[in-house]
Amino acid sequence: MELKSATALAHPNIAFIKYWGNRDEQLRLPQSGSISMNLASLHTETTVRFSDDLERDTVVVNSQLLVGDPLARVTGFLDRVRSLAGKQIHADVVSSSNFPIGAGIASSASAFAALALAGSAALGLSLNESELSRLARTGSGSASRSIPGGYCEWARGESDLDSFSVSILPQDGWDLSDLIVLLSHSHKKVGSTAGHSSANTSPYQPARIQDAARRLDICRKAILERDFSALAEISEEDSTLMHAVMMTQQPPLFYWEPRSLAIIKAVKEWRASGLPCFATLDAGPNVHVICPTEARDDVYANIHVLVPDSQILVSGVGGPAHLINPTTVEH
Amino acid sequence: MELKSATALAHPNIAFIKYWGNRDEQLRLPQSGSISMNLASLHTETTVRFSDDLERDTVVVNSQLLVGDPLARVTGFLDRVRSLAGKQIHADVVSSSNFPIGAGIASSASAFAALALAGSAALGLSLNESELSRLARTGSGSASRSIPGGYCEWARGESDLDSFSVSILPQDGWDLSDLIVLLSHSHKKVGSTAGHSSANTSPYQPARIQDAARRLDICRKAILERDFSALAEISEEDSTLMHAVMMTQQPPLFYWEPRSLAIIKAVKEWRASGLPCFATLDAGPNVHVICPTEARDDVYANIHVLVPDSQILVSGVGGPAHLINPTTVEH
């Protein structure tokens, strides 16, 4: 009997320049590049155990056994890992996150990054960072950005071979914080995968993609120069551009809730009054308010006054996905 | 001494296919056509009195004397009327509206429609409907749609000569109501005129304009066939397309307030549950909820539960701009 297992931890990320829309749905090759920051205090920890004893894959996420489409998505991903290793062997996967799933905190990013690393390590593959990022990408696009550490850019690339993420600034390169205002813990009506596949039904998606290189250049430069004001302006612009596409897709996706909009508008006013902060939203109602860590307490206090009933998660910049006590036991 | 005066009444209108962006700012030639419905219970009444005794134009709007840019906009418009009549003579203008100005109910539409009619009549011009609509357009684009009655389409046209509005269905042709939820009485930070002139700074405006003929065709057909469901879908799509452009302009214009979004989202759910209604917003936070008049009381009740503190104006379909007791007194 052969037993191989590994445990990996990965952080979710918040995108400043967003990923929305694929040119290849299977390989999750994006229509444009994107840039994000890993979130230190949030993580997914995943253990993958391959064994000849298993007759099928089983996947437990936050103590719940996956069935149906969510299970099929993970087994399809495991097929990819098995194919890389040239092995036919089933797996038990146990994964848990310390933050609410399915509410726009990109749980799939940390989940598939951790799964890519744990799964490949358990089968004895020694993938380098770009190979891991490419693999994670095929499970969830934004997972490719949760493999390297700190501030990451995911290249559009020409093919599967060169569409992966690299760190453009390490996690200790710029001390920013993300205050995540939780406005909903509930699962989204329309998940990101379905939303991506209808991005092109918005008449605005082509213009958004055509303009992406400009936004990426501005954002990358802002990060490398630690220019918060420039990062704030381009990130808010990019977030609005993505949500404008979502709201004009068929069917329309209105991820913004009234309180999301209240925070978006308030943050613009706070910044105009001199408090460094900006708001950005992924595919969900929760608002990420980004600020230099030295302004964190002031920004937190402002948010708390505005939405006193909402939970606020606080995070600094996170590192790369990594293995925890990697083990391979042969019997 | 010569004294010529006339009084005219005009209704504002709510656009189903919106006007946003000019190709000629001076003549207010739009980048695309638009379609609207006049609002019967709202109106502006304007008296224009030309007299050789006057040394300058004076304009009183809702008991307030205009100065500065707002005054210059009206005197510039009066110059156009004077030029048409070949006369050099100043005017007293007194105008009042029975609804809040500057909060997105297109007060400038009814104001310049009434001014075009009263001003031209007072100087003895007998302009036909299309001439009046063209003249009103030069004061405020959407004013061109407040000259004819009922449901009106304003043609993009090739030039000043053919960019005017015509009624596509008379006011008694379809019994719809508009429930206007007043979320703000305050003046807009950025007025429509400034907003129009920066529409092209949004990367999405070209796509919006390119797609306009399709939306106009669907909307016109829905009105002619009294197909409420089709009108609802295309109108909500068009409103979102316009606000997406506004939010992605430089500077961004976020006319939606949190409660606007709450109503937008609730109305989609009500319609999905079988209550015929749809939401559309002009350049302001107030939400226009349109419904067949037989559904008006149910829709009103729903809105009242959702935003109990907000005033709701109710209107049916309005007629054309018209003169009231037209008089020309010669001394």
Side-chain angles (χ1 to χ4, degrees), chain B residues 46 157 160 233 319:
Chain B
T46 299
D160 171 62
E233 296 298 329

Side-chain angles (χ1 to χ4, degrees), chain A residues 175-188:
Chain A
D175 191 11
L176 297 187
S177 286
D178 183 6
L179 308 185
I180 309 166
V181 191
L182 296 184
L183 298 175
S184 170
H185 288 256
S186 62
H187 263 272
K188 291 174 275 189

Side-chain angles (χ1 to χ4, degrees), chain B:
Chain B
M1 191 180 80
E2 190 184 25
L3 188 147
K4 299 156 180 276
S5 85
T7 298
L9 181 149
H11 301 286
N13 60 74
I14 176 65
F16 302 136
I17 303 297
K18 307 291 190 186
Y19 155 57
W20 192 250
N22 293 314
R23 59 189 207 272
D24 182 319
E25 300 290 344
Q26 288 298 312
L27 290 171
R28 295 178 198 265
L29 292 174
Q31 293 182 24
S32 59
S34 51
I35 294 177
S36 63
M37 161 183 127
N38 283 348
L39 300 174
S41 43
L42 311 184
H43 64 255
T44 298
E45 193 174 311
T46 299
T47 298
V48 181
R49 184 180 65 93
F50 286 98
S51 167
D52 291 328
D53 290 351
L54 301 170
E55 292 182 1
R56 64 185 70 81
D57 296 324
T58 59
V59 183
V60 173
V61 173
N62 290 342
S63 308
Q64 303 223 329
L65 188 68
L66 291 196
V67 294
D69 288 344
L71 174 63
R73 184 171 174 188
V74 174
T75 57
F77 185 81
L78 290 171
D79 287 343
R80 214 173 270 279
V81 181
R82 283 183 279 255
S83 165
L84 283 174
K87 293 186 179 160
Q88 292 295 330
I89 181 172
H90 290 294
D92 271 343
V93 176
V94 178
S95 179
S96 64
S97 296
N98 66 345
F99 58 95
I101 301 279
I105 311 189
S107 56
S108 64
S110 51
F112 280 97
L115 183 62
L117 180 51
S120 60
L123 282 187
L125 293 163
S126 286
L127 304 182
N128 64 24
E129 188 182 86
S130 56
E131 289 166 333
L132 279 170
S133 177
R134 286 170 49 208
L135 175 61
R137 188 202 73 221
T138 64
S140 170
S142 55
S144 77
R145 296 190 311 249
S146 282
I147 293 290
Y151 299 83
C152 298
E153 178 167 0
W154 171 19
R156 176 190 186 281
E158 295 302 315
S159 71
D160 171 62
L161 295 173
D162 59 352
S163 184
F164 55 83
S165 301
V166 297
S167 179
I168 57 174
L169 191 71
Q171 93 188 82
D172 59 359
W174 195 11
D175 192 11
L176 296 187
S177 286
D178 182 5
L179 308 186
I180 309 165
V181 191
L182 297 184
L183 298 176
S184 169
H185 288 258
S186 62
H187 263 271
K188 292 174 275 191
K189 284 186 217 163
V190 177
S192 301
T193 299
H196 277 285
S197 68
S198 54
N200 285 338
T201 63
S202 166
Y204 294 162
Q205 176 71 350
R208 182 178 161 271
I209 297 304
Q210 200 169 12
D211 181 57
R214 177 189 70 87
R215 301 194 304 278
L216 287 163
D217 287 348
I218 292 171
C219 182
R220 189 187 313 110
K221 185 163 180 284
I223 290 171
L224 295 177
E225 296 178 354
R226 284 80 156 170
D227 181 343
F228 187 80
S229 174
L231 181 66
E233 296 298 329
I234 197 64
S235 296
E236 285 197 351
E237 180 183 342
D238 189 87
S239 180
T240 308
L241 286 168
M242 180 178 74
H243 284 273
V245 163
M246 291 165 159
M247 290 189 276
T248 55
Q249 292 184 194
Q250 299 301 332
L253 298 177
F254 279 67
Y255 287 119
W256 291 356
E257 293 289 343
R259 284 181 302 166
S260 315
L261 183 56
I263 299 168
I264 289 170
K265 295 179 77 138
V267 163
K268 284 183 190 293
E269 290 181 8
W270 300 341
R271 187 164 77 257
S273 324
L275 184 63
C277 57
F278 68 85
T280 185
L281 287 84
D282 282 343
N286 300 324
V287 184
H288 295 251
V289 183
I290 313 291
C291 63
T293 297
E294 68 256 30
R296 186 189 60 199
D297 294 352
D298 290 341
V299 174
Y300 189 103
N302 276 10
I303 299 170
H304 183 67
V305 168
L306 187 68
V307 285
D309 299 331
S310 296
Q311 190 186 348
I312 306 171
L313 306 179
V314 178
S315 181
V317 188
H322 58 275
L323 290 169
I324 297 174
N325 301 325
T327 55
T328 301
V329 183
E330 303 275 348
H331 292 265

